[in-house]
Amino acid sequence: MPLNKLRNIGIAAHIDAGKTTLTERILFYTGTNRKMGEVHDGQATMDFMKQEQERGITIASAAITCSWKNSQINIIDTPGHVDFTVEVERSLRVIDGMIAVFCAVGGVEPQSETVWNQADRYRVPRIGFVNKMDRTGADFTEVVGQMNKYLDANAVPVQLPIGVEEDFNGIIDLITMKAYIFKEREGIEIEIPQEYLKQAKEARAYLVEKVADFNEDILEKFLDDQEVDNNILKSATREATLKLLITPVLCGAAYKNKGIQLLLDAVIDYLPSPIDVGAVVGIDIDDPEKSHTRHPSAKDPFAALAFKLINDPFVGQQTFIRIFSGSLKSGIQIFNTTKNKYERIGRIFRIHAKDREEIAEAGPGDIVALVGMKFTKTGDTLCDSNHPLYLENIHIPPTVIELKIAPSKRKDQSKLGEALGKLANEDPSFNIRFDDETEETIISGMGELHLEIIIDRLKHEFGVEVEVGEPSVAYRETITAEFESNYKHSKQTGGKGQFAHTVIRIEPNSGNGYEFIDKIKGGAIPSEFIQSVNKGILKTLENGVMAGYPVVDVKVVLLDGGFHPVDSSDMAFQTCASICFKNGFMKADPILLEPMMKIEVNTPDDYIGNVVGDLNKRRGKIESMRRYRKGAQKVNGLVPLMEMFGYATQLRNISSGRASYSMEFFKYMPVTRAIQDDILKKVEEKKRLDRLNKE
């Protein structure tokens, strides 16, 4: 397949906008599926996990390959639920273009904004598809307006709907100025109905005017009032889309099979091939200031990014990769620069959701799954060992919610550990840690649904029944003042002793994570022990100082110290640095940080007072209220996660089940002194009870 005929696209949107139904229709019309699966009856091809079928939502982004008009389209269907935002993040890192799906009734919703911002971060060209045009309350013009107002999308319709709500039965193509009426599963081309002609001409003139801003030939014709050739307009629209200057907007009703073929044409017409995207830039492994480019060509050295791992019960672990340059054959050896390890390529598969086709070779632009990889994880760079480089990694947001977990049967302890390890491999936004003091396993993730799915998968996929504690908030610890800490560690235990001396300054480092700066002069601490100091501090950061929560946003400057030629060792300096850091931390005005969540509540006007009053009680801060359709409003605000457990039930109660909400992590913010004292008291009490239980 020539590279200019290849499209790597993602389908992304807010939950319930109809992404998976749209993908099912695409698979049907491209001949990949003989029948259309439905989300509501658990038969969707892309939702092949048991948990997806039960809940009617997409959890894991699934990859599938199909063909349309002599072009190959690799589609990644992504989740809309914010708990699985990392799935969207890693998909956007490897796709070239995106279909952003919007509900014609709901318009731009919170997760639409999140996905849009993620696509902006990776500079992914996109087209908009306004779905569910057949629903009561559908309004194409309003959704286009919201895309411009809330997403700054420079959205330009390239289609107009014929009819609305239950009368929606056709689409006008503003480039060819032809109309399509849908009969059963096909669109029949007709002339534009007379009653829509004026509106269509105005909309086309608007499209020409918008594209003229970026194309001089069209600008001349526009200013001279000349007709613009269809092909020129289409190619100028494509060019503006690829440069992220405009977002063409189409419409349809996926569930009723309306507008799908025209959308597939638009994917070929407006979204980029790997050639349009051009070279990818990587960093030199020895010198971060130097960069290397890899062009989408089989002649360039091999470079690929691993973006997803899946445990398949039949073939074992599958590692999904996007190849940017060079070619890959079964049996060859490649280099993982992230892990500094060699990997031998076993089997290569092209994936059709849960089915797979084995291929002997893959080239630039391909998205394939590899079986038999030993070391590779999400975000790792794979390349030719003679031309190593690092490709840009994948941004993983911090976890915000924790659960204590234990196997129902003690004999399942090792089975649980193994299963959790596999799940953490698959999902970088899921973490596990073992609390040595309480001897408990603690899992953390992006939200209640995220962890609920993990528990469900442990039971059904891995056969491990577990007992689960109450969900708790994943707090963080940090400091607000500077302090210089000096500690000498000296132990004599007969034979070789332990000696280390460190002087460190710890400083707040708001928003920049952990930094370690070595300012040792004159060999006061030998260079081989500098890393030991850093290692000791890093271990302490993980386990916390004040209340056992991870420490963030701290800068440590190593100023001075001392060593003993015989008694100093790696372990002595690790221990010394850890105690030195703890002493300093407790004197640098430590505070607890809590996760703040961005919340959006959609509520009928009748309940707006109840909703706002309830959020205020939860220490919420209302940021804006806006009308999003007649008789209903959107309330946006920030609320601490600790106040949001059980909110879904409460919202149902205060709105007679008519309000809905969505929530996503915003950032960590300091808790009040009173709440901090309360949390620390509970932590101390829990430690005391654990000690008593042990005795």
Side-chain angles (χ1 to χ4, degrees), residues 119-148:
D120 278 342
R121 184 189 299 139
Y122 294 114
R123 297 197 52 75
V124 176
R126 61 216 89 144
I127 56 180
F129 181 72
V130 180
N131 193 21
K132 304 192 178 183
M133 284 299 302
D134 56 330
R135 287 262 304 274
T136 305
D139 189 335
F140 180 70
T141 311
E142 170 64 18
V143 178
V144 173
Q146 287 184 18
M147 286 174 71
N148 286 325

Side-chain angles (χ1 to χ4, degrees), residues 253-283:
Y255 184 53
K256 297 281 175 64
N257 313 313
K258 294 176 180 176
I260 308 303
Q261 289 136 307
L262 296 175
L263 176 64
L264 281 164
D265 289 345
V267 166
I268 307 300
D269 290 341
Y270 305 124
L271 291 181
S273 72
I275 290 173
D276 297 312
V277 174
V280 66
V281 178
I283 296 165

Side-chain angles (χ1 to χ4, degrees), residues 200-461:
K201 282 180 175 168
E202 285 170 1
R204 189 180 201 268
Y206 177 72
L207 170 61
V208 170
E209 184 185 343
K210 278 294 201 184
V211 175
D213 288 345
F214 316 110
N215 185 292
E216 286 189 11
D217 295 345
I218 291 179
L219 180 62
E220 272 179 41
K221 288 197 157 87
F222 176 71
L223 294 173
D224 294 343
D225 240 359
Q226 290 178 22
E227 190 56 42
V228 177
D229 178 78
N230 295 352
N231 291 332
I232 292 171
L233 181 56
K234 185 182 279 185
S235 105
T237 304
R238 173 183 177 79
E239 198 180 320
T241 307
L242 298 187
K243 289 178 178 168
L244 275 72
L245 299 169
I246 65 167
T247 306
V249 186
L250 300 90
C251 61
Y255 184 53
K256 297 281 175 64
N257 313 313
K258 294 176 180 176
I260 308 303
Q261 289 136 307
L262 296 175
L263 176 64
L264 281 164
D265 289 345
V267 166
I268 307 300
D269 290 341
Y270 305 124
L271 291 181
S273 72
I275 290 173
D276 297 312
V277 174
V280 66
V281 178
I283 296 165
D284 188 271
I285 64 168
D286 298 317
D287 180 0
E289 299 299 308
K290 268 174 76 180
S291 62
H292 300 285
T293 51
R294 294 284 181 270
H295 296 88
S297 157
K299 291 176 182 167
D300 265 32
F302 174 73
L305 188 80
F307 69 97
K308 185 176 175 63
L309 272 69
I310 287 182
N311 274 300
D312 187 293
F314 302 106
V315 295
Q317 184 177 286
Q318 292 181 157
T319 306
F320 282 77
I321 66 163
R322 158 73 198 260
I323 302 173
F324 290 100
S325 64
S327 61
L328 190 67
K329 292 187 175 83
S330 296
I332 68 165
Q333 185 172 271
I334 55 169
F335 187 55
N336 179 330
T337 43
T338 317
K339 297 284 188 298
N340 198 25
K341 301 263 190 191
Y342 287 93
E343 291 268 28
R344 187 159 295 284
I345 299 302
R347 299 159 80 193
I348 308 170
F349 289 106
R350 187 159 277 137
I351 300 295
H352 303 282
K354 63 184 172 193
D355 299 319
R356 59 188 83 76
E357 165 203 350
E358 188 163 354
I359 53 177
E361 187 175 352
D366 279 338
I367 290 177
V368 292
L370 307 178
V371 173
M373 305 295 271
K374 288 191 175 129
F375 311 106
T376 304
K377 302 277 181 288
T378 295
D380 286 1
T381 298
L382 300 170
C383 59
D384 179 333
S385 56
N386 296 321
H387 302 88
L389 80 170
Y390 289 120
L391 295 172
E392 183 192 349
N393 206 323
I394 293 164
H395 168 74
I396 309 294
T399 58
V400 294
I401 185 168
E402 295 185 335
L403 273 183
K404 292 184 192 68
I405 184 175
S408 302
K409 300 173 187 146
R410 189 169 273 278
K411 66 178 172 63
D412 282 347
Q413 186 67 53
S414 63
K415 202 171 165 190
L416 172 65
E418 203 178 296
L420 287 173
K422 283 182 177 171
L423 291 170
N425 260 351
E426 274 186 30
D427 181 355
S429 66
F430 168 63
N431 293 333
I432 317 147
R433 66 187 171 87
F434 188 73
D435 189 322
D436 292 320
E437 274 187 50
T438 60
E439 295 183 352
E440 289 173 323
T441 302
I442 296 160
I443 60 173
S444 56
M446 303 302 295
E448 288 180 271
L449 179 64
H450 187 195
L451 295 186
E452 189 189 309
I453 300 291
I454 294 280
I455 304 298
D456 211 31
R457 289 186 65 191
L458 283 172
K459 182 180 172 182
H460 291 106
E461 270 178 53

Side-chain angles (χ1 to χ4, degrees), residues 473 475 594-595 619 639-645 671 675 679:
V473 174
Y475 295 104
E594 64 179 342
R619 297 193 285 128
V639 194
L641 176 66
M642 73 178 288
E643 307 289 352
M644 292 306 287
F645 294 125
V671 300
I675 290 171
I679 294 166

